[in-house]
Amino acid sequence: MKPQTRQAVFLAAGFALLRGLFLLKAGVAPEAAYFYICGEHPAWGYFDGPAGTALLVRSVAAWGGSVWLLLGPLAGFAASLAAWRLAARLFDPGTATWSLLALNLLPVFNAAAFVPGPLLPALTFSLVGAASVWDASRLQHGGFLGWLVAGIAFAGASLFAYWSALFALACLLVPFSRRVARKPAAIFGAVVAGVLTFSALYPSWLWLQTQDGIPIKQWTFTSLTQWNFFSLGIGVADLLLGLSPILGIALIFAFVSGCRRSRGHPAEAFAIAAALPGLLLGALWMYRGWEASQMALPSAAILLAPSCRMLPRWMLMLALALAAALTVPIWLTQPREAARAREAANIVLTLDEKLAPDLEGGIFLIAEDAPLASALGYYLRNDFIAPSGQPRVFASASQDQSDQFSLWGSYDQFIETDEPPNEFFTEVKAVNPFIGHPALYVGTEPPENLPTKIRSAFSEVQLVREVGTGEDRLLIYLCLDYQTLPL
């Protein structure tokens, strides 16, 4: 192993080890628990993307313990090395090492490396595929095997995120912008790689059809282009804070500089083309106020190398220090969120055991949102068995379909029956099995701000316990006699 390669491996491994040890001590935060709960319900696809993430978490969690939490740090390690290798091939190993360090200090990268989510696995496979395309298209090594490896890598990325298909398409097309690369063998290899990539998406597209396209309805032309000044401000803030202001601006300058130099520098042209989908998606997500930094991360992983090379050393040091400072809150948030969810779950279990004998019917559990419902469901996994197709803890019922919980069975839904449930509404042949049952609701809202969808759905709602203080406070309510309107 070459010294520069060894240095990159040790640096990436150091970050991964630090994150892994920290997570094992901190516990399971809500965002990580969300993917665990998704893994409990196997499917060909999920609201958040293809099935790769949930099925990977499910497979590793079957080993027992908290080992599945290490998937995030391991994905960070793999993505770091994949980014370093591509940068070393396109630019030089020294610059690639600086980009590896910068990548691991980005707030958005650290946030992704703390959860077993889809972003970093998709990024890893995409970067491996890009490096294989670069080598195969320039006949440095690999030939058709290189195109095949690229296709397999891009297919792997497509099992985790839809955006990776655009990344793959850009990488596969850019080599043929040069006449010298338009050879039958290369064209055949690129076609095979493309077929593998889009074949991997097929099961997810079939699943989307069974869901009437609900998970991607926010991607309509109208919803994507609708102007909202407040959303734009949120998107800009997310992009700058996620990529760190200095490095984020440097990435833009690196892209512009690369465009100017691309005609006579194939490496620059390839980097610009591979980064373009992420930049466009990041700009669109910024415009809509969504998590723009996540969509721009693939572009950042490619353009960090020329950005670090372009910045004066003192400014690069300042940029890295600022990125590290912005990352600190992400590290501090993990143990706090895990601790309050764990404590709330223990209290809910105690209340259920204490109150259930005096209340008619079983108590069901509701949380304010999907992350909190996931965390409570995870910590209660050994104490509650959920009916098929339902989560252990429900997210508060809402018309807003923005996560996987909206696709599972909920307490506000009716079940069709052969006969009307009563003699007064004979046209309705459906029943809600939760009517008349009590519930425990866990949220952050004080009694005066309790949502109408909770207060009006029960005959009586009373605060019974509080967990934590300040921003970390959770309130637990006992809700009696669930009532819902007929269909």
Side-chain angles (χ1 to χ4, degrees):
M1 185 181 296
K2 296 180 180 179
Q4 291 171 320
T5 304
R6 188 184 306 114
Q7 183 183 25
V9 171
F10 286 159
L11 186 59
F15 278 110
L17 180 61
L18 188 61
R19 294 188 188 106
L21 293 175
F22 183 81
L23 279 180
L24 291 177
K25 183 177 180 180
V28 179
E31 191 175 355
Y34 176 77
F35 294 107
Y36 182 94
I37 299 300
C38 287
E40 290 186 325
H41 302 264
W44 287 109
Y46 294 85
F47 193 99
D48 307 271
T53 304
L55 298 184
L56 178 61
V57 172
R58 179 183 176 89
S59 299
V60 177
W63 299 351
S66 300
V67 65
W68 64 276
L69 278 176
L70 299 179
L71 286 172
L74 289 175
F77 172 74
S80 298
L81 291 185
W84 180 88
R85 183 177 184 274
L86 179 60
R89 301 295 289 172
L90 294 179
F91 304 103
D92 62 84
T95 300
T97 301
W98 279 108
S99 69
L100 186 154
L101 176 60
L103 182 65
N104 278 272
L105 292 178
L106 292 182
V108 63
F109 187 87
N110 279 273
F114 275 134
V115 298
L119 180 58
L120 295 188
L123 177 63
T124 300
F125 281 115
S126 295
L127 294 175
V128 169
S132 298
V133 169
W134 172 253
D135 288 342
S137 64
R138 293 179 61 81
L139 300 180
Q140 292 171 304
H141 58 76
F144 176 74
L145 181 61
W147 291 107
L148 183 61
V149 170
I152 295 173
F154 289 142
S158 297
L159 296 177
F160 290 90
Y162 296 126
W163 59 258
S164 59
L166 295 178
F167 185 98
L169 187 62
C171 291
L172 291 173
L173 290 179
V174 67
F176 302 105
S177 62
R178 298 182 299 114
R179 187 183 301 273
V180 68
R182 299 170 194 167
K183 299 179 179 179
I187 294 174
F188 177 73
V191 170
V192 169
V195 169
L196 289 174
T197 301
F198 288 94
S199 295
L201 287 172
Y202 187 67
S204 298
W205 285 113
L206 289 180
W207 176 85
L208 282 172
Q209 293 179 11
T210 66
Q211 301 298 323
D212 297 324
I214 291 175
I216 60 173
K217 283 186 177 179
Q218 63 174 338
W219 297 356
T220 63
F221 179 80
T222 301
S223 64
L224 290 176
T225 57
Q226 185 177 7
W227 166 256
N228 187 311
F229 182 78
F230 181 72
S231 296
L232 176 61
I234 294 176
V236 172
D238 179 86
L239 189 67
L240 291 179
L241 293 177
L243 298 178
S244 184
I246 298 178
L247 289 175
I249 295 174
L251 291 172
I252 297 175
F253 280 99
F255 179 79
V256 174
S257 176
C259 289
R260 293 174 178 174
R261 292 164 46 87
S262 60
R263 183 176 295 274
H265 298 80
E268 297 275 0
F270 187 84
I272 293 303
L276 187 58
L279 289 174
L280 294 177
L281 291 176
L284 179 58
W285 260 239
M286 179 184 68
Y287 178 81
R288 294 297 299 123
W290 298 335
E291 296 175 326
S293 58
Q294 291 191 11
M295 296 307 299
L297 183 59
S299 300
I302 297 172
L303 296 177
L304 274 175
S307 299
C308 292
R309 185 175 59 182
M310 177 183 64
L311 290 174
R313 185 57 55 88
W314 69 269
M315 187 175 291
L316 177 58
M317 294 295 102
L318 178 62
L320 296 179
L322 179 58
L326 292 173
T327 299
V328 171
I330 297 174
W331 285 69
L332 297 179
T333 299
Q334 297 294 319
R336 292 203 335 256
E337 290 187 343
R340 76 167 187 168
R342 182 168 51 243
E343 184 179 357
N346 291 335
I347 293 175
V348 165
L349 180 60
T350 301
L351 288 172
D352 178 76
E353 294 173 347
K354 179 181 178 180
L355 298 174
D358 300 326
L359 297 173
E360 183 179 353
I363 298 177
F364 62 100
L365 307 177
I366 310 173
E368 178 181 349
D369 53 29
L372 181 56
S374 300
L376 294 176
Y378 173 80
Y379 286 113
L380 294 171
R381 66 192 183 282
N382 297 323
D383 303 291
F384 290 88
I385 299 177
S388 178
Q390 294 181 358
R392 199 171 293 108
V393 179
F394 295 107
S396 181
S398 173
Q399 296 300 316
D400 180 29
Q401 296 176 315
S402 58
D403 52 61
Q404 185 65 27
F405 278 76
S406 63
L407 303 182
W408 289 328
S410 183
Y411 62 91
D412 66 332
Q413 295 177 351
F414 286 78
I415 300 175
E416 293 185 3
T417 58
D418 294 331
E419 298 294 334
N422 59 64
E423 58 183 316
F424 301 104
F425 297 98
T426 56
E427 72 278 8
V428 176
K429 294 183 178 181
V431 63
N432 185 312
F434 295 94
I435 291 180
H437 287 234
L440 288 172
Y441 173 73
V442 184
T444 59
E445 309 98 332
E448 62 272 16
N449 294 329
L450 199 62
T452 303
K453 60 187 177 183
I454 293 296
R455 185 173 296 281
S456 63
F458 296 87
S459 62
E460 182 181 352
V461 179
Q462 52 185 281
L463 177 64
V464 291
R465 290 292 297 272
E466 293 187 21
V467 179
T469 58
E471 296 180 356
D472 296 326
R473 186 176 67 161
L474 287 176
L475 297 95
I476 303 176
Y477 296 87
L478 174 61
C479 310
L480 300 176
D481 190 19
Y482 176 67
Q483 299 292 324
T484 186
L485 298 175
L487 290 176

